[in-house]
Amino acid sequence: MKLKLTWLLTLFMAFVMQLSFGQEKDITGTVTAASDGLPLPGVNVIVKGTARGTQTDFDGKYSIKAKSGEVIVFSFVSMKTTERTVGAGNVIDLAMADDVASLDEVVITGYSTTTKAKSSVATVRVSSETIENRPNASFVQTLSGQVPGLNITTSSGQPGGNSLVQLRGVSSINGNTEPLFIIDGAPVDEDNFRSLNPQDIQTIDVLKDAGATAIYGNRGANGVIVIKTRQGNFGQGLKINYNGFVSYSTLQDNDYNAMTSQQLLAYERDRGNGAGAGNSSSVFNPGNGTPLTDAQIAAAPNFSWRDFFFRTGVTQSHTVSLSSGSENATQFTSFGFQDTEGILQQSDLKRFNIRSNVSGKSSNEKFTYGTNLTINYSKSNEPNSIGSGAINRNYVLGAFTSVPYVTADDYTTGAALLSPLSFTNTPLFLLDRLNTYTRFDEEVKIVASANFNYKLTDWLSANVVMAGDYQAESFTRAEGPTSFNALLFGGAENPTSGFQQQASNRAFTYNQVTSLNANKSFGKHTVDLGLYTEYFKGHFRTFGYFANGLNPATFSPGDGSGLVPQANGLFNDEATANILNSGLFSYFGSADWDYDTKYGVSATLRRDASFRFAGSNRWATFYSVSGRWNISNESFMDGSAFNNLKLRASYGTAGNQDIQGTGVFGSPDLTLDLFNTPSGYGNLPAIALAQVGNRDLSWETVTQLNVGVDFGVWDNKLRGSIDWYERETSDLFQNTPLSAVTGFTNLAANTGLLYNRGFDFQINYDVFRPKSEGGFGMTVGVVGNYNETELEEIPNPQGEIIGLGRNGGILREYFTLRYVGINPATGNLLYLDANGNTTENPDADNDRVWLGKNIVPDWNGSFNLDLDYKGFFLTTQWNYVIGVDRFDNDYADLVDPTAVGQFNLSSDILRAWQQPGDITDQPRFNASNLNSFPNSDRFLRSADYLRLRFASFGYSFSQDALENTGLTNARVFLNGENLLTFTEWRGFDPETRSNGSRQYPTPRTISFGLELGF
C-alpha cells in the first residue's frame, strides 16, 4: 500500500511539473550595460528556437512570454550575446558585457564592415537618435555640428532646400566639393534629399581619410557618407512605432535698425526727396509737391512688410513603422507624411513616403539577401528670383527694403500700378505677384537596392549589390495675363500677355558592385581579401515648353486651355528637349591583415574609367595604404588607465571626375570641338565654332595623409579621437588664358595645386554616470575642425587671379581697397593706398591689396551636453564657426542715401556727417566719393558665430507607467532649432555661405512631438 501511494505522489508531482513547464508566463526584466550600469534600449530579446521576440524600451526594460525551461537570448551590437534559461521565477535582469571582438561595428568602405578595434581609418558614425524627430525637411541639415571636419551650410530657408556639405575643407576650385552619398548601396544625388524621410535612417557613417575613401576611386575625393536605413530583426514579433511632431518656424532677428515711417518721412522731407518732401508718386502721397507736415508724418501708418511677406511656418510630420522577423526573414515597413510651410510666402513642401526593407537567410546561413525600396512623392512651392534685385519678383527684397508708409490696403489691381511707376510701390508689385504667379515642382523619387551573398566556403563568399536611383520631376510656373508684370512687359501690343512654362525631367542611375571576398584566420593572424568590379550608368531626359500669351477668360495654371495660339509672330513659344547619358566602370581590390587585434595593415588599389575624358585619359588609378597599432592591447598597458588607445595612419589618392561640379550628367563634352548654327550673311543659317575642346583633360586627384589617435580612459569616461591631415588636390580643373586671335580667351585645362591642412577631434566625458536605474547622468562633448587652404601654381604669369587667390595664399582671398572711416573734415570716405597712406581718392586698380580673409571657415564644430534623470532628458548642441568674412550687402542697401524716396533705410544713416569736426561712421549724404569705390571692404564683416543649433527636452515613460496601456514605450519631447545666436553679423543669418544679398534666411523652429511603441 505504501509503495502504491509513493508511485501516485510521484506521478502527481511529475504532472504538476509538466503542467508548470508547459505553461507560458510573462518574463520581465531590465537590461543594463555592465560597464556603467546604464539601461540599454533596443536589445533584441528572443525565445531561442521560436519566432517570439521583443526589444527593450528606452529604460532597458522588456516583457516576453516564455515557458520554464526555454532559453531567452539577449543580443545587442557591441555586446556579448547572452543566454538565460527560464526557471521558476518571472524576472530576469541582465548586465550585458562589452564584446571587445565586435565592439562598435562600423562601415569602413561601404563594401565591407569591420570592428572598431580592427579599423585603421578615420570614420565617424551618427546614430538615428540624433537624426529622428528633427523638423528639418532634409536629414543633411541635422548632421551639422555632429561630425568633426564636416562643415554643413544651409543658405536658404526653403523647406528641403539644398545644403552645402564639405568635408575637411574645399578640395576643388571649379569641380564638385561635396561627398559621395550612398543609401543602402545606392549612390544618390547629393543635392536633393527633400523627398526622403529622415525617420527611416538607422545609421550614417562618414568616411574621411584616404584609407576609407580611396576604394571609391573616381567619386571618393571629397569623402563618402554611407547611410543605412532601418531593418527588422530575426525572431522579433510585430512591433509598431509612431513618431509625430508639430513645429512652428519664425524668422530670425537682425540688427539693421530699419526706420519707422516717421523717421523715414522726416528724413525724406529733410533731403527734399520722397513722399515726405511731396515728390513721391506713391500711393501714400500722390506727389502734389507740398512737403508733409509734422502732423501728417505722425499720422502715417507703420506697416511691417517683413511680417507680411514672412510668416510663422507650421509643420506636421507623421511616421508609422512596422517591423518583425521570423527565424530566417525580417521586414521593416514605414509610411510617412510631412507638410512643411516655409516662413516666406509661397514657400512650402509636402511629401509622402513608403519604405519596405526585407532581409533573409537560408537555414544553413550560407545564403543571405536584402532588398531596400523607398517610393516618395513631394510637391514643393519655391519662390524664384530670391537673392536678385528684381523689385517685382523677389519677396525677400520687398520684406527688407519696402517703405513702411505704403500698406497692403493700398493695393487694388496690377493695372493700377502701371502709371505712374514708382519704386516706393515695390511691395505692391510683389503683392500682385503673390496673387497672380504660380511656381511648383512635383517629384517622384525611388531609391531601390538589392544585395545577395553566398558563402562558397566558410572563408570565401560571392556578393553582388545592385542599386538604382530614379527621379521624375514635373516643373510648372505661370504668370497670369492680368498681372502687373504681364501688363508691364506685354503692353498694348500683347493684350493677352503672361506666360506658362512646363518641363519634365527624368533621371535614372544604376550602380552594381560584384565582389569575391575571402576571410581566413591562421592562429593570431587574420587576412581579409576582396576583388570587386563596379558598373555605373546614368540616363537623363528632359522636355518642355515656354508659351507666351494667355487668355484670362480660360487660363488656369498648369492647364493648356488658356494658351493663345501663335498669330503673326506675336507670341514666340519655345520648346526644349535634351538627352544626356553618363557612365563609369571600375575594378579594384582590397587587402587587410590583422595580428591578434594589435597590429593591422590595409591596402586598396582601384582602376577607374570615366565618360568625361578622351580615350587617352579615360582611365586613372587610385590607391591607399593604412595601418594601426592597438597600444592598449599590449601587455605593458595592463593595469593602466587606458581602456582603449590606438594609433593609426593612412595615405592614398582618390579622384574627382565631376570637374565642373555640375553633377552626374554635367560637362560630358569638354574634350570635343563643338559648333552651333547662328544667323549668317542675309540671315541665312551659318556654322560657327562654339567650343574648343581639350583632349588632354583628365581627373583632379586628391592625395591625403592622415594620422589619428583613438582613446578611452578611466573606464571610458573620457573617450574620443584626434586626427591630423594634409590633402593635396593636383591637376585642378581651371580655365587657362588663350590668345584672343583664336576667337576664345581661355581653354579648360588641368593645372594648379590646392592644399587643405588641419586637424579634427571629437571628445566626450561622462561627468556623472548613473549609479542605479533612473540615476543622474551627465555627458559633455566637443567636436571641432581646424582647416587652412593654400594655393600654388596659379595659371598666370603673375601667380595670382582676382577672385581665386595667389600663390601661397588662401582660397578665394579677397582683393580690394581698404576702407578706414569718414574724413572728419569733409564727410567723404577714407581709404588706404597700397603703401598704407590714407586718401579719399585711391587708385581702383593699383591700390587694391590681398586682405588675408575669405568666406571659408577656419574653425567649425560644436559643444554638446546630455542630461538624464528618472526618465527626463535634456540635450543641447551649440555650433560654432570661426574665420568667416562676408560682405553685408543687405546693410549696404539700407545705408545708401541715394535710395531715399525709393526704399526704406537704416536709422544709422541719421548720424551721417553734417559739419566739419563730426566723428561718425556714416558719410555725408552727398559725399563726392560716395559710390566711387563700391567694391571696397567697407561692408566686409565677420560672420563668426556661436549658435544653440539644437536643444531637446523630454520624458520617457517607465514600463511601470505603461503597464496595461498596450504600449511598449512612450516618449514626449520639445525640440528647438537655431534658438539663440551670438555673432557680430548684423543680418538675419550668419550661417549663409554667400556674399549675395536679399537671401531667404533659415528659420528658428520650435517643435512638439511624441513617440509611441506597440
Side-chain angles (χ1 to χ4, degrees):
M1 184 67 182
K2 184 177 180 181
L3 183 61
K4 288 183 178 181
L5 181 61
T6 301
W7 274 105
L8 287 174
L9 288 173
T10 302
L11 288 173
F12 178 74
M13 290 295 294
F15 174 76
V16 171
M17 292 181 67
Q18 183 178 4
L19 184 63
S20 65
F21 272 94
Q23 283 186 327
E24 287 186 346
K25 55 184 178 180
D26 289 326
I27 303 299
T28 61
T30 302
V31 182
T32 58
S35 60
D36 54 23
L38 292 174
L40 288 175
V43 175
N44 293 318
V45 184
I46 302 170
V47 179
K48 192 173 184 178
T50 74
R52 280 173 281 148
T54 185
Q55 287 185 325
T56 57
D57 62 14
F58 290 104
D59 297 315
K61 295 184 177 181
Y62 72 94
S63 176
I64 192 170
K65 291 187 177 297
K67 304 173 184 177
S68 294
E70 288 187 319
V71 176
I72 299 179
V73 181
F74 300 85
S75 62
F76 190 65
V77 174
S78 80
M79 299 290 181
K80 290 183 178 179
T81 298
T82 306
E83 297 183 356
R84 290 288 186 268
T85 302
V86 178
N90 295 337
V91 177
I92 299 179
D93 293 327
L94 179 66
M96 297 192 74
D98 291 336
D99 185 356
V100 177
S102 63
L103 183 61
D104 201 1
E105 283 198 344
V106 294
V107 176
I108 300 300
T109 66
Y111 304 115
S112 63
T113 61
T114 189
T115 65
K116 187 173 182 179
K118 293 184 178 181
S119 169
S120 56
V121 297
T123 66
V124 175
R125 167 161 289 185
V126 179
S127 64
S128 60
E129 286 78 9
T130 61
I131 300 171
E132 61 190 2
N133 300 323
R134 301 274 295 266
N136 306 303
S138 171
F139 76 87
V140 172
Q141 296 174 22
T142 67
L143 293 178
S144 177
Q146 295 198 51
V147 178
L150 190 66
N151 185 31
I152 298 175
T153 305
T154 303
S155 297
S156 172
Q158 171 66 28
N162 181 36
S163 298
L164 177 63
V165 182
Q166 292 175 329
L167 184 62
R168 291 182 165 181
V170 182
S171 63
S172 180
I173 293 174
N174 295 305
N176 181 33
T177 64
E178 298 192 84
L180 169 67
F181 283 80
I182 299 176
I183 300 179
D184 292 327
V188 296
D189 181 0
E190 72 266 17
D191 292 326
N192 182 17
F193 297 104
R194 67 187 180 197
S195 296
L196 300 180
N197 188 359
Q199 303 291 90
D200 290 340
I201 294 176
Q202 181 66 43
T203 60
I204 297 177
D205 288 285
V206 180
L207 318 183
K208 299 192 292 184
D209 68 344
T213 63
I215 198 168
Y216 288 93
N218 58 60
R219 290 177 287 181
N222 303 308
V224 182
I225 296 180
V226 180
I227 300 154
K228 298 291 185 182
T229 58
R230 298 179 186 271
Q231 306 286 329
N233 293 289
F234 292 107
Q236 172 192 310
L238 178 63
K239 186 175 182 179
I240 302 174
N241 277 288
Y242 166 78
N243 298 70
F245 61 81
V246 176
S247 66
Y248 302 89
S249 299
T250 55
L251 183 66
Q252 298 187 65
D253 296 327
N254 74 81
D255 190 27
Y256 286 148
N257 303 324
M259 286 191 185
T260 65
S261 290
Q262 287 66 42
Q263 290 174 312
L264 182 60
L265 288 169
Y267 181 75
E268 290 177 349
R269 184 177 63 183
D270 293 343
R271 289 281 309 278
N273 198 349
N279 298 322
S280 174
S281 56
S282 71
V283 176
F284 173 72
N285 188 322
N288 58 14
T290 303
L292 295 179
T293 66
D294 289 345
Q296 288 175 313
I297 290 177
N302 270 293
F303 191 81
S304 175
W305 288 106
R306 168 181 159 178
D307 292 342
F308 179 84
F309 287 108
F310 285 93
R311 62 189 177 186
T312 297
V314 181
T315 295
Q316 59 170 317
S317 176
H318 309 277
T319 300
V320 175
S321 64
L322 303 92
S323 61
S324 61
S326 63
E327 183 178 356
N328 294 318
T330 75
Q331 71 81 29
F332 173 86
T333 304
S334 72
F335 304 90
F337 167 74
Q338 184 162 318
D339 187 359
T340 303
E341 283 184 340
I343 58 174
L344 186 64
Q345 295 281 1
Q346 289 189 343
S347 165
D348 57 65
L349 173 69
K350 183 179 292 184
R351 71 179 176 213
F352 301 86
N353 312 95
I354 299 175
R355 171 170 290 279
S356 176
N357 292 348
V358 176
S359 63
K361 59 185 178 180
S362 60
S363 297
N364 61 7
E365 298 190 356
K366 282 192 172 184
F367 176 69
T368 60
Y369 66 90
T371 61
N372 305 276
L373 173 65
T374 179
I375 302 174
N376 312 274
Y377 166 81
S378 68
K379 182 178 181 181
S380 174
N381 288 301
E382 183 175 351
N384 69 335
S385 298
I386 301 302
S388 74
I391 62 173
N392 57 334
R393 300 191 184 280
N394 185 356
Y395 302 133
V396 178
L397 181 152
F400 294 169
T401 66
S402 293
V403 295
Y405 51 74
V406 172
T407 75
D409 292 336
D410 294 326
Y411 172 77
T412 54
T413 65
L417 298 171
L418 291 173
S419 180
L421 287 172
S422 171
F423 280 11
T424 56
N425 288 334
T426 290
L428 303 183
F429 302 154
L430 295 168
L431 192 160
D432 178 82
R433 192 175 198 243
L434 283 174
N435 297 332
T436 59
Y437 184 77
T438 301
R439 187 183 189 276
F440 61 87
D441 283 288
E442 294 178 279
E443 180 183 71
V444 174
K445 185 175 180 68
I446 301 173
V447 181
S449 64
N451 61 84
F452 305 96
N453 173 280
Y454 186 77
K455 291 184 178 180
L456 302 173
T457 69
D458 60 351
W459 57 271
L460 182 65
S461 63
N463 309 269
V464 62
V465 179
M466 301 177 291
D469 179 14
Y470 175 77
Q471 293 179 190
E473 182 181 359
S474 177
F475 171 72
T476 301
R477 73 181 182 119
E479 196 160 76
T482 62
S483 67
F484 166 76
N485 285 326
L487 297 173
L488 178 66
F489 297 109
E493 184 184 12
N494 291 352
T496 54
S497 52
F499 66 81
Q500 179 165 293
Q501 179 185 11
Q502 289 185 282
S504 176
N505 302 323
R506 291 177 294 121
F508 174 71
T509 60
Y510 175 79
N511 199 85
Q512 179 172 320
V513 178
T514 306
S515 66
L516 195 64
N517 297 85
N519 182 279
K520 190 74 172 177
S521 295
F522 307 92
K524 293 184 179 182
H525 300 268
T526 301
V527 177
D528 196 327
L529 302 174
L531 295 175
Y532 304 81
T533 63
E534 184 170 17
Y535 170 82
F536 174 86
K537 189 68 174 176
H539 304 281
F540 177 82
R541 305 291 183 266
T542 181
F543 62 89
Y545 71 86
F546 187 100
N548 289 287
L550 302 171
N551 186 342
T554 57
F555 165 68
S556 178
D559 183 76
S561 60
L563 302 182
V564 176
Q566 297 190 51
N568 301 321
L570 183 62
F571 302 110
N572 296 315
D573 296 344
E574 298 177 357
T576 59
N578 201 4
I579 296 175
L580 296 172
N581 299 305
S582 64
L584 306 168
F585 182 75
S586 313
Y587 54 91
F588 49 102
S590 65
D592 180 86
W593 167 77
D594 170 73
Y595 176 75
D596 198 24
T597 321
K598 289 183 180 180
Y599 318 106
V601 177
S602 300
T604 65
L605 182 66
R606 177 162 174 147
R607 186 82 170 146
D608 280 303
S610 171
F611 76 107
R612 283 190 168 96
F613 307 118
S616 59
N617 287 327
R618 182 151 296 165
W619 288 89
T621 302
F622 307 101
Y623 67 91
S624 73
V625 178
S626 59
R628 59 176 167 81
W629 178 23
N630 294 67
I631 304 172
S632 55
N633 289 347
E634 297 285 0
S635 59
F636 61 77
M637 293 294 290
D638 292 346
S640 73
F642 284 91
N643 306 96
N644 171 45
L645 180 61
K646 178 169 63 175
L647 176 65
R648 48 184 168 74
S650 65
Y651 180 82
T653 62
N656 186 1
Q657 48 91 33
D658 186 2
I659 54 178
Q660 281 192 314
T662 48
V664 173
F665 302 101
S667 56
D669 50 21
L670 294 176
T671 60
L672 304 177
D673 297 325
L674 299 179
F675 297 82
N676 60 9
T677 308
S679 296
Y681 181 77
N683 288 327
L684 295 176
I687 296 177
L689 184 62
Q691 174 181 289
V692 176
N694 183 353
R695 258 85 47 196
D696 292 329
L697 276 182
S698 63
W699 317 67
E700 292 185 347
T701 300
V702 175
T703 303
Q704 184 172 187
L705 170 66
N706 187 95
V707 179
V709 175
D710 300 327
F711 63 89
V713 189
W714 307 316
D715 199 18
N716 282 324
K717 289 189 68 175
L718 177 65
R719 56 198 177 275
S721 62
I722 302 173
D723 286 83
W724 173 87
Y725 62 86
E726 177 174 291
R727 304 169 72 202
E728 176 197 84
T729 307
S730 57
D731 296 326
L732 287 162
F733 177 77
Q734 299 184 72
N735 289 325
T736 58
L738 279 183
S739 171
V741 298
T742 64
F744 298 87
T745 57
N746 55 67
L747 176 69
N750 295 97
T751 181
L753 295 173
L754 172 63
Y755 292 93
N756 283 269
R757 302 182 181 95
F759 59 91
D760 48 45
F761 54 89
Q762 183 169 18
I763 300 172
N764 292 288
Y765 180 67
D766 296 330
V767 181
F768 297 103
R769 284 181 171 175
K771 296 182 179 179
S772 61
E773 182 181 345
F776 180 66
M778 177 180 177
T779 300
V780 295
V782 59
V783 171
N785 169 257
Y786 171 76
N787 185 83
E788 61 179 10
T789 59
E790 180 185 345
L791 289 164
E792 293 292 348
E793 300 183 12
I794 298 292
N796 82 348
Q798 292 74 34
E800 57 185 36
I801 295 178
I802 298 173
L804 173 61
R806 51 179 168 158
N807 284 333
I810 58 178
L811 178 65
R812 309 291 183 193
E813 183 179 0
Y814 297 124
F815 181 76
T816 189
L817 294 172
R818 291 170 290 175
Y819 164 80
V820 291
I822 306 301
N823 189 336
T826 64
N828 290 333
L829 290 85
L830 286 174
Y831 302 88
L832 295 180
D833 63 17
N835 297 318
N837 303 310
T838 58
T839 176
E840 291 185 356
N841 297 292
D843 187 320
D845 293 323
N846 298 319
D847 286 331
R848 290 183 295 173
V849 298
W850 296 101
L851 300 181
K853 300 178 180 180
N854 65 2
I855 202 169
V856 181
D858 298 327
W859 289 88
N860 73 88
S862 66
F863 302 100
N864 308 283
L865 170 68
D866 292 283
L867 299 174
D868 291 279
Y869 182 66
K870 292 187 176 180
F872 290 96
F873 59 88
L874 172 66
T875 297
T876 63
Q877 177 185 313
W878 292 83
N879 284 13
Y880 63 88
V881 169
I882 301 172
V884 174
D885 292 280
R886 290 170 49 199
F887 284 92
D888 193 348
N889 292 308
D890 285 321
Y891 182 68
D893 288 341
L894 291 171
V895 292
D896 180 7
T898 65
V900 65
Q902 303 176 40
F903 301 104
N904 199 5
L905 301 169
S906 170
S907 61
D908 292 0
I909 207 170
L910 298 178
R911 58 174 180 261
W913 184 97
Q914 295 185 23
Q915 60 186 3
D918 284 351
I919 305 298
T920 181
D921 62 332
Q922 298 295 324
R924 189 175 79 245
F925 76 88
N926 58 350
S928 61
N929 62 353
L930 181 64
N931 293 314
S932 300
F933 310 103
N935 296 320
S936 74
D937 69 349
R938 180 186 174 195
F939 297 105
L940 186 63
R941 300 286 188 270
S942 169
D944 300 350
Y945 66 84
L946 173 65
R947 166 175 287 177
L948 182 52
R949 181 65 179 84
F950 176 67
S952 179
F953 175 75
Y955 179 74
S956 298
F957 290 86
S958 66
Q959 285 297 107
D960 293 338
L962 297 177
E963 190 174 359
N964 300 322
T965 65
L967 297 174
T968 57
N969 63 275
R971 184 166 72 142
V972 294
F973 55 85
L974 167 66
N975 290 348
E977 307 266 348
N978 301 327
L979 294 177
L980 187 64
T981 303
F982 298 96
T983 180
E984 294 180 14
W985 185 258
R986 296 183 62 177
F988 288 93
D989 190 2
E991 182 179 342
T992 300
R993 183 80 69 82
S994 169
N995 278 317
S997 58
R998 313 171 191 101
Q999 300 289 333
Y1000 184 172
T1002 57
R1004 176 186 295 114
T1005 303
I1006 301 290
S1007 58
F1008 309 85
L1010 75 158
E1011 299 177 13
L1012 299 175
F1014 302 89

